Amino acid sequence: MKIGRNQPCPCGSGRKYKKCHLANGAPLLNSTTVTKLEPTPETERIRHELEIHQIERRKILAQVGVFIDFVIPTHFKGNKVWALGSRLYARRPEKETFHEFIVYVLKDEMGRDWWLDQMKSPEGKQHFIYKCFMKHYDWQDKNQIPKNKHREGWRAVPDGYSRALTSLAFDICSLIHAVHLPEIFLNKLRRYDGYQSVRYEIAVAAMFARMDYKIKFLDEELIGLKTQPKHSEFIAINSSTGEEIAVEVKSKERSGVLHKEGEFNEEKEFRSSVSKLYRNALKQRPPGKPFIIFIDMNLPLSAGKNPNEISWVKAVTKMRDNAAFSTKGEASPTNAILFTNYSYHYGTDQETGSGEWLIEKSGNPEFLINSPEFGEKFISVLQRYGNVPNIDMTIET
């Protein structure tokens, strides 16, 4: 896929391609510019600057479903300095926005070899993430027009490709910042097959990371075992109380969608039930812990419809009314089942709103979630998924 002369250079410099790598004939990709600085009085001053604004910002960030400290970038020797966890990104363009920064981080995490391989691949065989990068650059170029001018930059309603890309980038950066990003996730993410399932795992893990939960990734802990026992996706650990919640994640694959062979037929695909995913998820339940199941519907968004008119919502409601989740008077094995539809990929180059979700709460769970703020944080993060706040400016969704 050709890179336009006026598009932002994929190297992340912030300059147009024609004035950057195209002009100087250099290879498209440079080595990573993540810099690990040795502590000095100057770097400690930078860290101090990054921290002093956080108390009031925590209240603002909580309003947009973020309960961890994303720090305001600072400026140093004509560059912008960003921080994610223990990492400092010290040589970023001075006018780079948070959205531009996280897209750069995602590209860097995917790696030089992956990027070069995608550039060589036929268009029909390129990874969805790579396609999102290219379409996102087109979207930026198309929307940098006077009517979209906002303060020192510009803004516009994202299309499907851009929302898919920035939501993934925000998830990746949330894990880097608050927990860690398992290499096993990156390896799966780079692959063409199995992309959809790991993408949803990353989304759900990032939600808990933004709720200030530490995460024990069980696949990562079981690496090297010849026989791996059945287990949930991860254990979310409350940073304040230490309470643990087991989380299982399932995503409905659809023909012709996200690298899946075949052709998508919404009417035909919708008839395929998600009840099997629910039953399989129950088998992953560990003993002695609260348990939450996430199931992604992977269907086109129902823009403008009343929730009760959305087909998949009506189907889930029917499952509930038919006692699909009934425990026949016994304690429920789950605390909640979350049905989500964060499927921006169907929107492609059309303006795309935020996703959809439905919660099926248990009235009698076997193990209660005792953390008092869990419910409020949980709903806030679900409601705002896909809306990336402007961390480096006044917080807006």
Side-chain angles (χ1 to χ4, degrees):
M1 191 177 293
K2 186 177 180 181
I3 303 170
R5 290 168 52 82
N6 291 313
Q7 290 177 325
C9 186
C11 75
S13 67
R15 293 177 291 173
K16 291 186 178 182
Y17 180 50
K18 66 183 180 183
K19 295 183 178 180
C20 191
H21 281 75
L22 182 63
N24 59 30
L28 179 61
L29 295 179
N30 294 324
S31 59
T32 178
T33 57
V34 178
T35 305
K36 291 187 177 180
L37 300 177
E38 294 297 325
T40 67
E42 187 64 20
T43 60
E44 290 307 300
R45 180 191 66 78
I46 293 173
R47 286 190 180 278
H48 181 66
E49 282 188 17
L50 294 174
E51 292 170 358
I52 59 177
H53 302 292
Q54 291 311 296
I55 294 177
E56 289 302 318
R57 283 176 54 77
R58 286 173 190 157
K59 299 177 183 178
I60 301 173
L61 286 170
Q63 296 172 10
V64 291
V66 178
F67 299 91
I68 53 177
D69 290 340
F70 275 103
V71 294
I72 299 175
T74 190
H75 297 268
F76 180 57
K77 294 185 177 179
N79 295 299
K80 211 167 195 175
V81 182
W82 297 91
L84 289 177
S86 62
R87 303 185 191 182
L88 281 181
Y89 298 77
R91 298 184 183 90
R92 302 303 305 150
E94 191 169 9
K95 293 186 178 180
E96 183 177 60
T97 67
F98 182 67
H99 292 73
E100 291 168 337
F101 167 66
I102 62 174
V103 167
Y104 160 76
V105 172
L106 172 60
K107 179 172 176 289
D108 190 58
E109 292 296 324
M110 297 303 287
R112 174 188 175 89
D113 291 343
W114 178 87
W115 188 272
L116 290 174
D117 182 64
Q118 294 302 312
M119 291 179 66
K120 296 174 185 176
S121 299
E123 186 169 344
K125 295 295 183 179
Q126 288 171 330
H127 199 291
F128 177 71
I129 297 175
Y130 180 79
K131 188 174 183 178
C132 284
F133 273 111
M134 296 297 102
K135 294 291 187 178
H136 179 64
Y137 297 144
D138 289 340
W139 176 81
Q140 285 182 314
D141 195 46
K142 181 175 67 176
N143 282 283
Q144 289 179 352
I145 55 179
K147 74 172 186 177
N148 291 335
K149 191 72 176 175
H150 179 68
R151 298 178 183 170
E152 296 181 357
W154 54 273
R155 66 179 180 183
V157 178
D159 61 14
Y161 289 118
S162 290
R163 196 181 285 274
L165 185 70
T166 55
S167 61
L168 172 59
F170 191 38
D171 290 344
I172 291 292
C173 288
S174 296
L175 292 177
I176 292 173
H177 185 57
V179 192
H180 78 284
L181 180 61
E183 187 64 27
I184 192 172
F185 270 12
L186 283 173
N187 288 337
K188 290 181 180 180
L189 200 64
R190 295 180 185 114
R191 286 165 41 190
Y192 191 86
D193 59 319
Y195 160 71
Q196 181 183 333
S197 60
V198 73
R199 172 64 189 99
Y200 193 46
E201 290 176 37
I202 290 170
V204 177
M207 290 184 204
F208 277 89
R210 289 194 285 271
M211 289 169 61
D212 196 22
Y213 273 70
K214 302 306 176 186
I215 298 175
K216 185 189 299 182
F217 296 101
L218 299 181
D219 277 345
E220 187 179 41
E221 294 203 344
L222 296 174
I223 289 176
L225 294 181
K226 292 183 179 179
T227 303
Q228 294 196 0
K230 288 187 176 181
H231 57 82
S232 57
E233 232 67 66
F234 59 84
I235 304 296
I237 306 167
N238 188 297
S239 296
S240 301
T241 67
E243 182 178 44
E244 297 186 354
I245 301 171
V247 180
E248 177 59 16
V249 177
K250 298 291 184 186
S251 184
K252 184 65 182 177
E253 293 188 345
R254 306 288 183 185
S255 298
V257 179
L258 292 179
H259 306 168
K260 183 75 173 175
E261 293 292 330
E263 184 175 347
F264 178 71
N265 181 313
E266 184 169 359
E267 183 177 351
K268 178 182 176 182
E269 288 290 336
F270 187 74
R271 289 200 299 269
S272 59
S273 173
V274 297
S275 58
K276 184 178 179 180
L277 293 180
Y278 167 67
R279 292 193 298 271
N280 288 339
L282 283 179
K283 297 176 183 177
Q284 312 300 106
R285 179 195 179 212
K289 292 180 174 62
F291 185 46
I292 297 178
I293 295 174
F294 282 77
I295 298 176
D296 185 59
M297 301 302 294
N298 188 16
L299 288 166
L301 295 173
S302 309
K305 284 189 177 181
N306 183 289
N308 295 325
E309 298 174 348
I310 298 174
S311 297
W312 72 262
V313 172
K314 291 192 289 186
V316 170
T317 303
K318 186 176 180 180
M319 287 172 63
R320 180 194 63 202
D321 294 343
N322 289 341
F325 313 128
S326 173
T327 55
K328 299 180 179 178
E330 299 178 0
S332 172
T334 65
N335 296 70
I337 312 164
L338 267 297
F339 298 91
T340 66
N341 196 35
Y342 298 129
S343 48
Y344 313 122
H345 43 275
Y346 287 99
T348 61
D349 56 0
Q350 303 299 313
E351 290 186 355
T352 304
S354 55
E356 304 159 346
W357 59 276
L358 175 67
I359 185 169
E360 180 70 26
K361 293 193 294 184
S362 170
N364 182 31
E366 185 174 356
F367 299 97
L368 294 173
I369 296 175
N370 295 310
S371 301
E373 297 180 350
F374 175 80
E376 181 181 348
K377 289 183 177 181
F378 193 49
I379 297 301
S380 179
V381 171
L382 285 166
Q383 285 178 332
R384 292 166 177 83
Y385 186 82
N387 294 323
V388 180
N390 293 322
I391 298 298
D392 54 323
M393 301 169 64
T394 302
I395 302 301
E396 299 169 311
T397 57

